[in-house]
Every structure is written in structure tokens, then in C-alpha cells.
Amino acid sequence: MRELTLRQAKTAIAGLVVLGPASLLSAADPADGQRYLAAVRRFADVVIEKGRDTYGPEKTPLFVDGLHVESFAPVRWNNKGQTWVLCNFANQQALMRTLDGLTALTGESGYRQAAENAARHALQRLVTPNGLLAWGGHLAWDLDGERAVGEGGPYTHELKTSQPYYELMWRVDPAATRRVLEAVWGGHVLDWALLDFNRHADVRKPAVPRWDADFNESVDVPFPSVANNLSFVNVTPPLMHTGVMLGILGQSEPALKWTRRLVRRWQQGRDPKTGLCGGQLSYRKDDRAHEALGHVHPEINEAKIVASYHQTCRYHQLPLAQMQSGQDLLAAGGAHATLGHEFIQWACDDLKVYAQRCYDAEKGVFIARMTDGTAIRWQESRKGYYVPESFAPQQPSGMLLWSFATAYRLGNDRAHWRMAREMGRKLGLGDIGPPRGPRQSALDTHLADVHALYGLLELHRATRDEALLKLACRVGDNLLATQAPSGLFPRKGSVYARTGDEIPLVLLHLAGAVAGKTDTLPAPRLDHAFFHCVYDGELNEAQQKRDDARTVDNLVFYNARE
């Protein structure tokens, strides 16, 4: 199979044909969910046939990260004279859930077997010196050279907003999965007394969790980081999910105890007057937010920012992931259920505070603030690591619709429904009305958003109202319309598609909801697939504007958000 240059790939866009435009699709009939299942099967079949490892001296059950939608050439990353055929197992967890779920819905064992074979091989061969896997934001596996590769050498482990399908991994190799789970905590938590963690872990250093370490329960949060760590909020979902899975699957009470301490740290960080919490638990001496805005906000630091910037979006990520972990604990039952209720209640409270303090209903945007409630004078930000737009007002997102919808289903609080209703209006879904209706849904909406679809499925699950399922099907049809004839799901303007794309998984859940079989599927997860590294190939306009030699695969290949 010949390798395509990025320039050659772009010229092929003109010949790329997808299914009919969403504007020509009628509002779907929820009684007919087979089209979603058929689309997911087409996707899975082509990924299994064309996306498995055939590149190095050993043919393995691993999958490539991305494929050209016509030629099926793999995504290749150019770095310092080398070319890597990327396999980033962290970015393929939606694929693992999709394949496992397909077997659950169809009874065809081959899909689940493909996922299990890939997971087993990853646990055996992608292991780093300290027990972590070669996956995540800065690490990947080169299928051509059968080696770990990444930013600055194959040494930096990073998981951000990633919640791997550990249940599958535990199923195929419990001992190896336990080592990975423990190494995540052992590698990233660097100050156990404070529970200060870093987004990076060096795979060459020991990564053994110190479950018996002393813990300072009463420290003021946020606190200065002794080790100069960056405790980004988006590192908490992976740590939390890992700790919960280790507690449930591995029956580790110490892991659950420390996971509760971590989640509670974010409650301790809430401002006593406003209830707001920033995007880090600790802050550094040379703080980047202070460099940007200290001249107008002398007290600012990264731990006092309430903004939508992806590293510090405290309320756009953690509450949803926390509720998902809470549901895992509830399902485990027994003593775990008490902790699950606590996680869910904290998350629901956080979302209410965020809506009350930061949402401008008149303008329909979320305002960036400091935790004391001060609106950030974002236009006056100095350029550096941050740019002024990092703190600009943000439009409602499908992620927040999913969050508020989940909170309503779990807590039955109308404040969460009101915000879900507001998010729906701003996203073009019409007026979903009060919980019992009536509804004025926009069944001609053009919205094609995975997270918004999950939100609608949560609202349908809470109400059992077929009108909400019909609206969900409309969004599902819009997503379905992006499927290429090959079965892959490229984003508009791209000729490459992820094998770990989220669209097939949400369509599978839509098919499950129509059939009344959602409970048989792997639970959906807040996830963010990306690979961040120096790229020596052709860059597009968006990449060229970055003040950084590094870029992300979402921009290089998939024409998607960072």
C-alpha cells in the first residue's frame, strides 16, 4: 500500500463522497434503529479488515490510529527524519468499547475477540520500564519499528481526560492491568502528603503507589507546588477512573480511599464565598496565568481560573467524569455505593454553582472568572503561553448538555434540567420544554455533536419520552450522514479518519436505546483522543499559527479540535 503525502491526501478530498446532507434527511422514526447498528458494523468491519497491524516484521492484533478513507493508507507521523505508523492505544478506547458493544448487541463474537486480542497484546508488548503503557498525549507505539516513540524520546507518560476501557483489559489479563492501574497513580502522584500530581510521568522512574503514605487532610487548597507540578484538572478524570477501577476490579480499599481524597481536594478548593473552584489544585512559583494577567489581576494564578480553556476547564470535564465514576461505584453496590452517591452529589452541586456564577443568560455565554467571582479582563491578557482568547466568553457545548442531563437523571433536580434546556436551545435543538413536556424540538436541526447526542439519550433515559428519542435520532442521522462510502467517519475537510472515532460508539448507544438494550453496552465515557509531538511534515494554517514547534494529530490529520 503506497504512502500518501499530506498534500496528495488533500487533493483527494474532491473525490470523497459522503452520504446525503443532513438537510435532506427527515426526522428519524425511533422504531427503526437498525440503520445505526448497520453503520457501526460497516465501520467495525472495515477497521478490522484494513486497520490492523501489517507493517513491521511481526503482524499483530493492534490497530493503526487512523486510515485514509479511500486508500486505507495508515496515518504516518514525521519526526526528525523518522516516520512512525502510529498506534496510540489510549486513543482507541472508543473502538474497544464499540467492538465489545457490537458483540453484545449482535451476538457475533468476532468483534469482541478483535478488541480482546488488541488489549491483550497491548498489555504484553506496550509496557514501559516502570509498568506504564506507551500511550497517551506524548507516547505512542510505532507499528513499523515495533517500538515506543514520542515527544522528546519515548519517556513521557500523559493521560488527559482519558478513561480507558479497563474492564476489557482486566478481562483478558487481570495481573497486567493491575500493574498499569497502580503505575498510573505511582507515576503521576509526586507529593502524597499534599496529593499533588503532575500531568507528566517519566516512564524510566519507579511508579509504585504509596498507599501507606501520610496525608495532610487539612491543607489549604489551592497550595503552592513544592515540585513545581502542573496539576491540571483534566488529569483528574484518568486518576479518578483508574483508582475507582482498581478499587472495584482489584478490590483495593486503599485505592478507593486515595481516590476519594483526590476528589475531595477539588471540594476543598472551592472559594468559601462563591463556591467556585479553579482548574488546578496547586500552583507554581512562575505561574503562566499570572504572567498573562497579573498586571490587571494581581492575585491570579492557574489554580484560581474558572475558564473554558481545555487545560483548566474545571466544570466542563470533571463533574461529568465524576458522575460516571459514581455510577460505576453504585453498580458495584455494597460499601462502594456510599462513595458513589458522594461523588455524584459533589458533581451535581458543582454544576449548579457553575451555572449560577458563570452563565450569562442574557448573552448565552459562560464568563471566565476568578474563583472569588471577579470577571477576568481577558482582552487585556498578555500573549505568551496563554492568548487572550483563552479567557474569552464561551458558548454552551454539547459536553455541558451531557453533563447537566446526566446530573438531572441522577439527582432529579430541576435546576439541572433548566440548564440542559438552555444548552439545547443554544445548540439549535429547539425547546425541549419541562421534564414532562410539552416540547418544541427542532426536528430539522443540523447539529451533529456526539456529546449532545449522549445528553439527549440521558434525558430520554430520565423521562422515557419518545419525543426526546426522536430528537436524538435526528442528531444521530446528522452524524450518520458524515460516514464515507468506505465506512469510516472523516471530519469535514479531512481524508483521514480515526479508528478510535467516537461517532460509531454513540450511534451504537442510540441503536441500543431504540432497542431498549442500552444496559448491555459498555458505558460511554468522557474522553479526549490526541497525540502531541513535534511534526516535521506539512502544516496547515491553524498549525502554523501555533507558537510551538509541537502540534497535535487532530490538526494534522483529522481536521478536528485540539
Side-chain angles (χ1 to χ4, degrees), residues 185 189 191-197 215 258 261-262 265 281:
W185 271 77
V189 178
D191 187 330
W192 287 77
L194 295 176
L195 231 178
D196 194 17
F197 58 88
F215 177 65
W258 280 94
R261 288 171 172 174
L262 172 64
R265 276 288 193 242
L281 295 177

Side-chain angles (χ1 to χ4, degrees), residues 221-225 229-232 269 277-307 312 369-372 376 386 391:
V221 182
F223 48 81
S225 177
N229 296 325
L230 280 173
S231 55
F232 289 140
C277 178
Q280 290 182 196
L281 295 177
S282 61
Y283 55 91
R284 304 194 301 180
K285 180 180 179 181
D286 299 318
D287 186 87
R288 300 175 301 191
H290 194 271
E291 291 174 358
L293 286 161
H295 60 293
V296 291
H297 299 294
E299 301 301 317
I300 201 168
N301 60 47
E302 288 187 297
K304 294 182 179 180
I305 297 172
V306 183
T312 54
R369 298 187 182 275
M370 293 176 58
T371 53
D372 65 3
I376 293 177
Y386 290 105
F391 312 104

Side-chain angles (χ1 to χ4, degrees), residues 172-428:
V172 301
D173 195 332
T177 305
R178 180 187 288 273
R179 288 193 292 271
V180 172
L181 294 170
E182 291 181 340
V184 169
W185 271 77
H188 287 275
V189 178
L190 303 181
D191 187 330
W192 287 77
L194 295 176
L195 231 178
D196 194 17
F197 58 88
N198 196 20
R199 85 283 194 209
H200 290 166
D202 191 327
V203 301
R204 297 166 294 185
K205 295 181 179 180
V208 179
R210 296 175 54 202
W211 303 129
D212 60 349
D214 293 331
F215 177 65
N216 187 347
E217 177 73 32
S218 59
V219 67
D220 290 333
V221 182
F223 48 81
S225 177
V226 177
N228 218 31
N229 296 325
L230 280 173
S231 55
F232 289 140
V233 68
N234 58 4
V235 181
T236 298
L239 283 170
M240 176 176 59
H241 178 56
T242 298
V244 168
M245 288 294 102
L246 187 56
I248 295 174
L249 300 174
Q251 300 181 343
S252 173
E253 290 303 318
L256 288 178
K257 179 174 70 174
W258 280 94
T259 302
R260 183 190 183 276
R261 288 171 172 174
L262 172 64
V263 175
R264 187 170 181 273
R265 276 288 193 242
W266 292 100
Q267 297 301 303
Q268 292 176 295
R270 294 173 60 165
D271 184 278
K273 293 182 179 180
T274 66
L276 291 171
C277 178
Q280 290 182 196
L281 295 177
S282 61
Y283 55 91
R284 304 194 301 180
K285 180 180 179 181
D286 299 318
D287 186 87
R288 300 175 301 191
H290 194 271
E291 291 174 358
L293 286 161
H295 60 293
V296 291
H297 299 294
E299 301 301 317
I300 201 168
N301 60 47
E302 288 187 297
K304 294 182 179 180
I305 297 172
V306 183
S308 300
Y309 176 64
H310 68 278
Q311 301 282 23
T312 54
C313 45
R314 160 75 171 88
Y315 297 95
H316 290 235
Q317 297 185 354
L318 184 53
L320 178 57
Q322 195 168 304
M323 289 186 288
Q324 291 170 346
S325 283
Q327 291 174 89
D328 292 333
L329 291 161
L330 290 180
H336 298 321
T338 300
L339 183 57
H341 284 297
E342 192 172 38
F343 280 15
I344 290 169
Q345 186 60 58
W346 283 340
C348 289
D349 288 346
D350 285 339
L351 286 170
K352 286 178 68 174
V353 169
Y354 184 53
Q356 292 165 359
R357 298 290 184 179
C358 295
Y359 187 63
D360 185 331
E362 183 178 341
K363 297 181 179 178
V365 294
F366 288 89
I367 304 298
R369 298 187 182 275
M370 293 176 58
T371 53
D372 65 3
T374 303
I376 293 177
R377 291 157 58 180
W378 63 274
Q379 300 95 330
E380 300 174 60
S381 174
R382 295 171 176 149
K383 288 187 177 182
Y385 177 82
Y386 290 105
V387 297
E389 290 72 22
S390 302
F391 312 104
Q394 294 292 315
Q395 298 290 330
S397 67
M399 184 80 72
L400 284 174
L401 172 58
W402 189 8
S403 298
F404 283 107
T406 302
Y408 175 78
R409 180 177 65 79
L410 295 173
N412 198 33
D413 189 325
R414 283 179 174 262
H416 295 126
W417 182 280
R418 286 193 294 271
M419 283 303 294
R421 184 179 182 180
E422 180 71 6
M423 299 299 96
R425 284 196 192 101
K426 297 302 179 182
L427 290 169

